[in-house]
Amino acid sequence: MSKRFKAGPDILSRIHLAVAPGELVALVGASGCGKTTLLRMVAGLESTSDGTVEVLGTTAAKACALRQVGVAFQRAALVPSRTAVENVQLTLTITGKSSGHDPAQLLREFGLGDHLNAYPHQLSGGMQQRVNIAAALVHQPQILLLDEPLGALDEITRESMTEWLAGVLGRTRPTTLLVTHSVEEAVVLADRVVILSRYPGQIAYDLSVDLPRPRDIWGKPSEEFQATVRRVRSHLHAVLRATGL
Amino acid sequence: MTDRRAYLLMFVSVAAVWLLAVRLAGLPPLTLPPPSLVGQVLWDERATFAESALSTLSTALMGYAAANVIALALAIGALYLSWLEAFTTPWVVVLKNIPFVSLASLLIITMGSTILPRLIIVVLVCFHPLLANLNQGLKSADPVLVDRLRTLNGSRWEIFRHVLWPSALPYYLAAHEIAFTTSIVGAIVAEWFLSRQGLGHVLVKAMTEYRGDRIYAATLISSAMSFAAYWLCRWLGRRLTRWQRV
Ligand SMILES: Nc1ncnc2c1ncn2[C@@H]1O[C@H](COP(=O)(O)OP(=O)(O)OP(=O)(O)O)[C@@H](O)[C@H]1O
Ligand SMILES: [Mg+2]
């Protein structure tokens, strides 16, 4: 499918991407290449200009009605008048799901045990982002869309959150599209890394990551892991050079 | 607490300036009455003043309630009916820009001295800040948050209840601080023009009779009412948005 806004040029062009159930695909590419737009289209928030988006065997908009979609956007989107735990709870309230994770427990695992009853304005950007991810996961959706979910986190928290995400995603295995700027993060988490080029956004490379799990890399990265990171990075750089960045 | 001290300082200064002015100006007591004389007339004519104040307050409250209903209906309606805002904006803008003193004059010659024109005037003076703040508050809702709830298949009502209304609430409460006191001023002005009752009427009558003491007394009462209204709104507003300050 492809995407234009109004009469503008194609933002995304001839995107053909199939994600198998339970698969985790990482999307990487230069800023402005259309990663967020792609995610919004899968979430049913943006229409396609040509072609179709199929989610759970139906259209993207109808898939949301199944309440099987979880989204964490680039910028944390929390209700300012609700505490951290209430914000996570809201997902369960709206989807009407009583199963799923326990909001407080989830936040504790995210290292926010001391901030359960804090309001968003009392949390740092990285903390808000963690609440945002918790709110996307808490109802255990089959489809998970994460737009640079760890973007505002410091290196250390990022590493532990990546590990934690790998753990939770490994257990529940939602079908996941993950946008990230970090090649390491992509290689730790993903089954495939898709590299987008720019103007228009197209799939330049679709690289599979065949590394055994769990990929505990922060301690002692294996030879294979480092080789994969190098491979993805060199492809990414080739794409960036080709589009003039 | 410095808040409270500042108010205390103001009241003391006003009293001091008043007393000083009475001493220095040497005007006749009924033009510039000393506080004691105003206290006297307040006490002697307490029944009339209470009745007038009550009448003014009830006009203000009724008009204010009507203004809220209209503002809420227009603001919330515009969320779901895209034509509504486009249709009503010119009316709102034009009405706001007709000097309401002219409107008041128009209303009295067409409707006479019934309660309806008074209510209309109160609605006209206080409805605008309510509508403007509600509109702005509803628009201040985080669009990304709205999108997130949409992906969870949140209904319009859920999105309104959990996102739009909480965003609008602080704006709406701030509007009350302005509009509620304005409604009292509006009621007094309306009575001034077209009524045989209320504090506005007391003021007109006192003025024609050169009764400065009554003018001061009515002013004190109406200011106190307006002030009380302001504090009530503030207190309620702060209670309802307590999360903002924790
Ligand atoms: N609503 C919109 N109307 C018009 N153009 C838009 C709109 N949203 C995005 N675009 C354009 O689409 C392109 C892709 O935007 P998008 O947000 O998807 O990029 P991105 O890959 O997520 O970038 P980043 O890594 O910086 O988040 C940009 O050139 C942007 O200007
Ligand atoms: Mg983006």
Side-chain angles (χ1 to χ4, degrees):
Chain A
M1 52 80 183
S2 42
K3 176 66 184 173
R4 291 178 292 277
F5 286 104
K6 301 259 168 62
D10 278 9
I11 300 293
L12 290 164
S13 170
R14 286 184 282 139
I15 300 286
H16 185 86
L17 182 64
V19 184
E23 195 177 25
L24 194 156
V25 172
L27 290 170
V28 294
S31 178
C33 71
K35 304 181 294 294
T36 298
T37 307
L38 182 59
L39 238 54
R40 288 177 57 83
M41 290 163 85
V42 178
L45 297 168
E46 214 77 71
S47 59
T48 54
S49 303
D50 297 307
T52 54
V53 175
E54 192 182 308
V55 181
L56 296 171
T58 174
T59 64
K62 281 188 186 142
C64 288
L66 302 172
R67 300 171 189 256
Q68 284 298 347
V69 179
V71 189
F73 289 111
Q74 232 163 333
R75 186 169 57 73
L78 305 172
V79 181
S81 55
R82 285 177 170 254
T83 61
V85 74
E86 286 168 354
N87 262 288
V88 179
Q89 179 62 44
L90 183 60
T91 300
L92 294 179
T93 309
I94 289 195
T95 52
K97 286 194 181 174
S98 49
S99 60
H101 300 279
D102 170 45
Q105 188 53 37
L106 196 58
L107 288 174
R108 268 186 220 109
E109 290 181 48
F110 277 45
L112 290 172
D114 296 335
H115 302 275
L116 295 182
N117 297 314
Y119 290 97
H121 71 96
Q122 298 173 300
L123 299 171
S124 74
M127 291 171 170
Q128 291 179 17
Q129 244 180 347
R130 281 180 271 167
V131 178
N132 199 40
I133 300 173
L137 296 171
V138 67
H139 59 308
Q140 296 186 336
Q142 285 176 34
I143 307 287
L144 190 58
L145 306 171
L146 304 173
D147 196 353
E148 293 183 47
L150 311 179
L153 299 179
D154 63 278
E155 191 77 19
I156 307 281
T157 317
R158 204 179 165 113
E159 286 177 9
S160 65
M161 285 290 297
T162 308
E163 205 164 315
W164 195 87
L165 258 185
V168 81
L169 299 183
R171 260 182 285 139
T172 54
R173 297 218 62 78
T175 308
T176 308
L177 272 178
L178 166 78
V179 172
T180 174
H181 279 300
S182 156
V183 173
E184 273 93 357
E185 190 181 299
V187 174
V188 175
L189 294 171
D191 301 305
R192 274 157 63 201
V193 178
V194 167
I195 302 176
L196 291 177
S197 64
R198 224 168 29 157
Y199 307 136
Q202 281 179 317
I203 296 180
Y205 294 102
D206 188 337
L207 311 166
S208 62
V209 180
D210 301 311
L211 295 173
R213 290 176 191 271
R215 300 166 182 165
D216 171 29
I217 47 122
W218 312 115
K220 40 170 181 32
S222 66
E223 267 312 307
E224 297 156 286
F225 177 82
Q226 287 176 327
T228 312
V229 168
R230 275 196 300 274
R231 180 164 62 99
V232 173
R233 190 162 277 145
S234 71
H235 281 93
L236 181 61
H237 284 176
V239 170
L240 296 185
R241 266 198 305 278
T243 50
L245 229 165
Chain B
M1 286 310 113
T2 41
D3 208 23
R4 227 172 257 182
R5 262 188 230 165
Y7 274 106
L8 194 67
L9 183 66
M10 186 202 71
F11 284 126
V12 172
S13 324
V14 167
V17 169
W18 187 353
L19 283 169
L20 211 66
V22 171
R23 277 281 155 80
L24 297 180
L27 290 169
L30 281 182
T31 311
L32 183 55
S36 59
L37 196 58
V38 175
Q40 188 67 46
V41 78
L42 266 175
W43 179 253
D44 290 346
E45 300 175 12
R46 57 187 181 276
T48 328
F49 279 121
E51 197 188 323
S52 306
L54 213 64
S55 152
T56 302
L57 196 62
S58 67
T59 308
L61 282 176
M62 279 192 282
Y64 192 56
N68 272 278
V69 170
I70 299 171
L72 282 167
L74 286 181
I76 296 171
L79 285 177
Y80 303 108
L81 306 169
S82 49
W83 52 266
L84 189 64
E85 197 177 357
F87 176 76
T88 51
T89 302
W91 292 85
V92 172
V93 170
V94 168
L95 268 180
K96 176 161 172 47
N97 286 297
I98 299 176
F100 90 102
V101 184
S102 333
L103 276 178
S105 317
L106 271 177
L107 287 171
I108 190 173
I109 61 167
T110 45
M111 294 184 182
S113 177
T114 60
I115 188 146
L116 192 61
R118 272 177 273 154
L119 287 182
I120 295 178
I121 289 172
V122 173
V123 169
L124 284 174
V125 295
C126 63
F127 137 94
H128 200 264
L130 291 169
L131 180 65
N133 274 33
L134 272 171
N135 275 335
Q136 203 183 344
L138 289 169
K139 281 183 186 129
S140 77
D142 181 352
V144 182
L145 185 54
V146 173
D147 282 345
R148 187 158 74 77
L149 295 210
R150 278 171 59 198
T151 65
L152 299 173
N153 199 35
S155 64
R156 276 179 179 182
W157 164 241
E158 284 169 322
I159 291 174
F160 179 78
R161 192 162 88 95
H162 295 299
V163 181
L164 301 179
W165 182 247
S167 306
L169 193 59
Y171 289 78
Y172 184 45
L173 293 169
H176 285 307
E177 285 179 22
I178 307 166
F180 193 15
T181 55
T182 312
S183 76
I184 292 175
V185 178
I188 292 174
V189 175
E191 288 162 350
W192 168 290
F193 271 92
L194 23 105
S195 168
R196 308 249 156 271
Q197 57 193 21
L199 291 173
H201 177 64
V202 170
L203 281 172
V204 180
K205 205 155 152 281
M207 205 174 64
T208 53
E209 293 166 0
Y210 266 82
R211 288 291 301 265
D213 53 345
R214 283 198 190 131
I215 298 182
Y216 275 75
T219 308
L220 277 181
I221 294 175
S222 52
S223 310
M225 271 175 9
S226 189
F227 194 68
Y230 171 75
W231 274 100
L232 182 68
C233 289
R234 236 174 99 95
W235 178 78
L236 266 177
R238 289 178 153 242
R239 274 188 72 90
L240 288 172
T241 56
R242 202 180 284 165
W243 56 270
Q244 281 183 323
R245 285 177 312 280
V246 286

